[in-house]
Amino acid sequence: MTNVRSETGPRLNSRPKTVAFANSKGGVGKSTLALLMGLGLATRHRDASVNLIDLDPQATTSDSLRRFCDSRFSVVSDSRNYASGSPNNENIISHIHSQQSRRFKKRFVVIDSPAGIEPIKSSFLFHCDVLLIPTSVSDADIFATRRYVGKLHHLFQSHDNRQTFPPPALIILPNLVDSRDEFNELRFALQNERAYLGKPLYYSPAFRRAFREQRNDDNIRTIFKQAQPYTLWLTSLLTQSHRLEKRPKELFQL
Ligand SMILES: Nc1ncnc2c1ncn2[C@@H]1O[C@H](COP(=O)(O)OP(=O)(O)OP(=O)(O)O)[C@@H](O)[C@H]1O
Ligand SMILES: [Mg+2]
């Protein structure tokens, strides 16, 4: 595990495909989905390197994924810089843009962020292709998600031509869903949001064991078997992110 710091310095005119999982609300599935995305990309794209940046001082994701690290899959965490309660933007941005190894054709960066980060303090978000915002269907989570999306729009309004890349596509990801009816309820509650709405990830007890170290990694195997179509769809969001460049004027279901 290394700190979020580039050795090669930023190269701001090209960058790897980058996704951040974020929501001001805790416990909505940011880390679980970051795990699915990180390992899913590494499994699907053998010619790519995958770098997971864990911004959570609790380091749940990085601690549990460290055992999968090799020359192609790496995890970095930034706990030292979290005393201030805000991410160390310069280091994160520098890390996103650091040069990839010549051994790999592509590079993906997956960022897992902790609850409670204010968008206004997160300039690294400008450097992502896709911003995935998990939410459960509970009223409290929906309320927080709406507020969070509003703050993101406010942040990205300040985007100007000095920035090399357009702001990321905003995709709300319904998680911990119980039934199709519940998903429809959520869609209705979010109908006025100017964002994409992802496919629902249903509640499954297997996800409760996602961060456990088990012999033979049976828990991870079970999750990937169960969530295979979902993971395929999730990873395609990043690889096909150019298709999401048009910003929806109202909720647009993917
Ligand atoms: N689809 C699901 N089905 C069942 N349990 C789930 C599902 N998604 C996440 N969980 C569980 O919900 C809890 C919260 O998930 P997770 O830690 O990924 O959320 P988080 O948004 O990263 O939380 P935090 O804000 O604390 O970082 C965990 O115990 C996780 O195992
Ligand atoms: Mg988390």
Side-chain angles (χ1 to χ4, degrees):
M1 193 157 68
T2 57
N3 275 311
V4 181
R5 192 174 288 281
S6 158
E7 277 130 42
T8 46
R11 233 184 20 166
L12 294 174
N13 57 347
S14 73
R15 67 161 185 219
K17 287 271 188 183
T18 302
V19 58
F21 289 85
N23 196 335
S24 54
K25 199 73 171 66
V28 288
K30 298 180 292 293
S31 300
T32 307
L33 288 158
L35 178 148
L36 273 188
M37 179 68 101
L39 291 182
L41 286 168
T43 316
R44 231 184 123 188
H45 298 275
R46 303 270 170 194
D47 58 346
S49 69
V50 178
N51 191 204
L52 193 137
I53 309 179
D54 187 357
L55 304 183
D56 194 332
Q58 290 182 48
T60 320
T61 318
S62 45
D63 278 352
S64 82
L65 290 184
R66 209 179 309 155
R67 66 187 192 277
F68 297 109
C69 286
D70 58 16
S71 61
R72 218 159 57 73
F73 184 78
S74 60
V75 174
V76 295
S77 76
D78 191 29
S79 53
R80 262 196 322 172
N81 295 306
Y82 266 81
S84 64
S86 66
N88 190 328
N89 285 299
E90 212 181 291
N91 281 350
I92 299 165
I93 293 165
S94 180
H95 192 82
I96 291 171
H97 293 277
S98 62
Q99 276 175 24
Q100 68 174 63
S101 155
R102 291 220 180 93
R103 286 178 54 200
F104 304 106
K105 274 203 193 134
K106 293 177 275 184
R107 179 170 165 242
F108 296 109
V109 174
V110 179
I111 301 174
D112 181 19
S113 67
I117 295 192
E118 286 294 322
I120 196 78
K121 291 184 183 164
S122 309
S123 60
F124 74 89
L125 294 175
F126 279 104
H127 296 259
C128 298
D129 296 282
V130 180
L131 188 42
L132 295 176
I133 308 156
T135 181
S136 85
V137 294
S138 85
D139 289 347
D141 288 356
I142 294 170
F143 185 73
T145 299
R146 278 212 212 103
R147 268 177 61 112
Y148 187 69
V149 170
K151 285 179 180 178
L152 288 171
H153 281 303
H154 186 72
L155 173 73
F156 294 132
Q157 267 166 18
S158 65
H159 175 271
D160 59 35
N161 294 334
R162 279 172 302 169
Q163 257 114 11
T164 319
F165 300 98
L170 305 184
I171 308 177
I172 301 173
L173 290 182
N175 185 21
L176 295 148
V177 179
D178 262 338
S179 63
R180 191 74 201 175
D181 282 352
E182 226 184 38
F183 173 62
N184 287 337
E185 241 175 72
L186 177 76
R187 192 166 47 181
F188 185 72
L190 295 172
Q191 63 183 332
N192 294 325
E193 299 308 314
R194 287 177 290 137
Y196 294 100
L197 181 69
K199 293 188 192 305
L201 181 60
Y202 287 91
Y203 176 89
S204 159
F207 286 105
R208 295 264 174 228
R209 298 184 276 277
F211 299 104
R212 196 181 291 174
E213 250 184 77
Q214 271 187 352
R215 208 151 50 93
N216 304 329
D217 298 316
D218 282 344
N219 52 335
I220 300 288
R221 239 183 282 278
T222 307
I223 287 171
F224 272 85
K225 213 164 150 191
Q226 263 186 26
Q228 197 187 27
Y230 183 85
T231 310
L232 210 63
W233 171 80
L234 187 72
T235 50
S236 300
L237 284 181
L238 186 58
T239 53
Q240 310 277 308
S241 63
H242 53 278
R243 295 189 176 179
L244 302 169
E245 270 169 16
K246 245 173 110 187
R247 306 187 76 69
K249 294 201 166 53
E250 55 190 24
L251 195 70
F252 185 98
Q253 199 190 328
L254 293 169

